[in-house]
Amino acid sequence: MDHFIYKDGKLHAEDVDLTEIARAVGTPFYVYSAATLTRHYKLFTEALSPLPHQVCFAIKSLSNIAVLKLLGDLGAGMDVVSGGEYRRALAAGVPGDRIVFSGVGKTREEMRLALTHGIRQFNVESEPELLALSEVASAMGATAPITLRVNPDVDAKTHEKIATGKSENKFGIPIAKARAVYALAATLPGIKVVGVDVHIGSQLTDLAPFEAAFQKVAELTLQLREDGHEITRLDLGGGLGIPYTRSNEAPPLPTDYGAMVKRTLGHLNCEIEIEPGRLISGNSGLLVSEVIYVKEGEGRTFLIVDAAMNDLVRPSMYGAHHDIVPVIESTADRQDYDVVGPVCETGDTFAKGRALARLEPGDLIAFRSAGAYGAVMASEYNTRPLIPEVLVMGDQFAVIRQRPSFEEILNRDSIPSWL
Ligand SMILES: *Cc1c(COP(=O)(O)O)cnc(C)c1O
């Protein structure tokens, strides 16, 4: 459920008319609903109670500091995968002890940053990383709380580019080797084992792969305790999918996910951590764009819009589907369109043969479910400025990231004196 609905024939974000935002900030832009973000975060906290738990929002899905502040103020922790994201979490006022650090390539500098300002735990993904962290922490006279991210060799049955839990993926430590690496961790200075971590992929539409992975984590936890480790925390990663279109079967709800977590792991008396990204942010955002031209091609009609693959890359990168709706409700006849952007690549195609009520140049459209992996994956390809982000709460809206001027963009380059 989200808070983007038609009122008086115009699409609104909560109580704000999107045509009003378009007039104020220009197109294209992203717009997020505070009510939807809040609702989705609370679905998870409710689904996991009464187990002790911490929901850590996966910043990589939507990293604007205003959004992080909104979620952080509700009690959310943050899952970061770079020093940059760590800094965003701090800038949003989230204390270090609510930040978990994931990712296969943490640098020593990033480790020092997190140990200096505070960290809930590092999710360590390899033996070399564990050794580096031990060196860094002990040199600082600090102790790094860690989990090891185990790779359970479970097929998440999602897009190959976002499946992370098979043995051929780069992520985690093979679960069969985990006990040996935990034994090593226990001997290392500057390291304190606190739990186990697993994350098997993104946009999962079935609970079965999660359950298979969590059962393996439960078995491992008992073994590790027998080996003498104190396992008090289980980080279950993110990955719960969202409905990208209303016609498909809906993915499992957080309540079903929570019930499954309790069933498979509840008896272990651990604090449960989860790292949802997409389920909190995905349906909390739209990308709003204006039609520039309607071009008749050979047997097809191109709807050329002012958003492009550099603004929202998911369709061209993953073949992803985003529902497209008119901002002004229309009863015009439907027509099939190839919806494309201005970038000079055939891959700059949002949809092929999409039936939409007839549109004219100047009309506004909205790409739904664009809150996650939208703005964060944008680039300035074709020297198209990063587009603004707008946050709506009730009847208020604010630009939470400005569109940069061309001057700012050009000034980042410099011409060497010898040229
Ligand atoms: C990407 C990622 C997440 C979030 O995944 P979603 O599918 O957006 O929920 C959580 N944890 C880790 C380690 C990730 O890499």
Side-chain angles (χ1 to χ4, degrees):
M1 205 203 92
D2 62 47
H3 297 76
F4 301 107
I5 30 170
Y6 290 97
K7 291 179 194 167
D8 302 327
K10 289 178 183 173
L11 190 58
H12 281 59
E14 305 188 22
D15 299 327
V16 181
D17 177 352
L18 291 180
T19 63
E20 191 191 322
I21 301 179
R23 246 194 321 274
V25 307
T27 57
F29 62 89
Y30 280 101
V31 57
Y32 310 120
S33 156
T36 312
L37 287 161
T38 302
R39 176 172 188 277
H40 289 166
Y41 168 74
K42 287 190 173 163
L43 282 178
F44 276 113
T45 56
E46 282 157 19
L48 290 176
S49 61
L51 291 183
H53 63 271
Q54 177 67 55
V55 177
C56 293
F57 176 58
I59 292 191
K60 76 172 197 267
S61 71
L62 173 54
S63 61
N64 190 289
I65 294 168
V67 169
L68 305 186
K69 168 144 181 24
L70 172 82
L71 293 170
D73 287 353
L74 294 169
M78 302 285 151
D79 170 46
V80 306
V81 294
S82 71
E85 286 192 351
Y86 180 89
R87 287 180 164 88
R88 282 182 178 275
L90 282 191
V94 178
D97 65 7
R98 271 198 262 142
I99 304 176
V100 302
F101 207 138
S102 302
V104 297
K106 300 173 199 84
T107 64
R108 285 171 163 79
E109 206 178 310
E110 289 172 323
M111 292 169 179
R112 268 191 292 272
L113 174 74
L115 286 168
T116 303
H117 298 281
I119 187 79
R120 183 176 179 81
Q121 96 236 358
F122 292 91
N123 293 329
V124 172
E125 300 226 14
S126 66
E127 216 172 295
E129 181 195 336
L130 180 64
L131 296 172
L133 183 60
S134 166
E135 253 173 54
V136 170
S138 43
M140 293 172 68
T143 301
I146 67 136
T147 69
L148 294 183
R149 174 169 177 181
V150 295
N151 185 324
D153 195 21
V154 164
D155 186 353
K157 298 200 165 56
T158 183
H159 191 284
E160 59 171 312
K161 286 186 186 163
I162 50 175
T164 59
K166 286 285 285 173
S167 56
E168 69 259 31
N169 302 136
K170 68 178 175 182
F171 298 97
I173 290 161
I175 197 157
K177 279 199 188 163
R179 285 172 79 183
V181 184
Y182 272 97
L184 169 67
T187 67
L188 293 175
I191 296 290
K192 178 171 173 29
V193 169
V194 296
V196 180
D197 171 48
V198 69
H199 170 75
I200 58 172
S202 197
Q203 187 52 20
L204 272 72
T205 52
D206 183 2
L207 286 182
F210 284 118
E211 184 157 358
F214 298 169
Q215 265 158 3
K216 292 189 179 191
V217 167
E219 284 165 30
L220 176 65
T221 300
L222 295 175
Q223 284 172 347
L224 292 174
R225 284 179 173 166
E226 274 176 36
D227 294 347
H229 302 285
E230 215 179 309
I231 303 297
T232 57
R233 193 179 289 173
L234 301 176
D235 183 331
L236 307 178
L240 202 54
I242 62 167
Y244 275 98
T245 174
R246 272 129 216 254
S247 45
N248 282 3
E249 205 180 315
L253 299 170
T255 41
D256 301 329
Y257 173 89
M260 183 272 289
V261 167
K262 285 175 213 171
R263 194 167 66 241
T264 49
L265 301 167
H267 59 289
L268 295 169
N269 290 320
C270 280
E271 182 178 17
I272 300 294
E273 259 170 28
I274 54 168
E275 305 166 346
R278 190 189 312 264
L279 203 135
I280 292 178
S281 53
N283 283 323
S284 302
L286 303 180
L287 167 61
V288 178
S289 178
E290 185 178 306
V291 177
I292 309 175
Y293 297 116
V294 180
K295 171 172 163 175
E296 292 303 332
E298 203 70 60
R300 55 185 65 224
T301 304
F302 294 102
L303 194 70
I304 303 173
V305 302
D306 64 0
M309 65 186 283
N310 69 297
D311 304 310
L312 176 65
V313 78
R314 299 189 67 260
S316 82
M317 186 147 148
Y318 310 119
H321 172 101
H322 286 268
D323 277 355
I324 300 172
V325 294
V327 168
I328 308 276
E329 225 170 4
S330 168
T331 53
D333 287 343
R334 284 178 165 253
Q335 187 178 332
D336 285 350
Y337 291 106
D338 283 9
V339 182
V340 301
V343 162
C344 299
E345 281 207 28
T346 302
D348 187 20
T349 299
F350 290 115
K352 281 191 171 160
R354 185 72 64 86
L356 301 171
R358 199 174 44 253
L359 287 152
E360 307 284 346
D363 287 346
L364 297 177
I365 59 169
F367 295 85
R368 300 187 67 100
S369 315
Y373 308 103
V376 287
M377 292 179 92
S379 75
E380 288 178 345
Y381 188 37
N382 282 208
T383 308
R384 292 168 46 84
L386 290 181
I387 65 177
E389 293 176 281
V390 175
L391 182 66
V392 169
M393 185 184 271
D395 61 1
Q396 323 172 66
F397 74 92
V399 174
I400 55 172
R401 191 179 68 197
Q402 298 276 357
R403 194 189 308 276
S405 68
F406 284 107
E407 198 180 13
E408 286 171 85
I409 293 174
L410 301 188
N411 280 342
R412 290 204 304 257
D413 295 8
S414 56
I415 299 175
S417 60
W418 40 260
L419 200 66

